[in-house]
């Protein structure tokens, strides 16, 4: 489910919304009413995964590397 996190630019409050269409996007802060809501990039929404971090040493591929085969260090 596409649950997005938003942050209020005025009070810094966070809110989460289940967004199924554009009408579900919050337009104002429920806490202070400011219309400074910006979307927070959450760790849940990794659609097109950016280059993942390599916590491992070049000689040992991490689990995500070995499954995707995209690791320059793996294999
Ligand atoms: Zn606010």
């Amino acid at each position: 489910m596409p649950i997005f996190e938003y942050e209020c630019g005025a009070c810094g409050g966070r809110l989460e919304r289940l967004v199924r269409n554009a009408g579900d996007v919050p337009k104002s802060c429920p806490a202070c009413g400011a219309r400074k809501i910006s979307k927070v990039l959450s760790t849940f929404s990794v659609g097109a995964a950016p280059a993942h971090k390599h916590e491992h040493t070049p000689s040992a591929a991490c689990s995500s590397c070995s499954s995707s085969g995209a690791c320059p260090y793996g294999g």
Side-chain angles (χ1 to χ4, degrees), residues 8-34:
C8 173
C11 71
R14 294 279 185 106
L15 63 143
E16 289 179 347
R17 275 292 180 85
L18 173 62
V19 177
R20 281 167 295 201
N21 56 61
D24 287 332
V25 176
K27 292 182 176 57
S28 61
C29 175
C32 71

Side-chain angles (χ1 to χ4, degrees), residues 27-64:
K27 292 182 176 57
S28 61
C29 175
C32 71
R35 290 170 167 263
K36 292 187 174 182
I37 303 297
S38 58
K39 190 173 167 186
V40 176
L41 292 177
S42 89
T43 52
F44 295 103
S45 57
V46 278
H52 68 262
K53 287 180 184 164
H54 285 277
E55 310 285 344
H56 57 83
T57 60
S59 61
C62 62
S63 56
S64 59

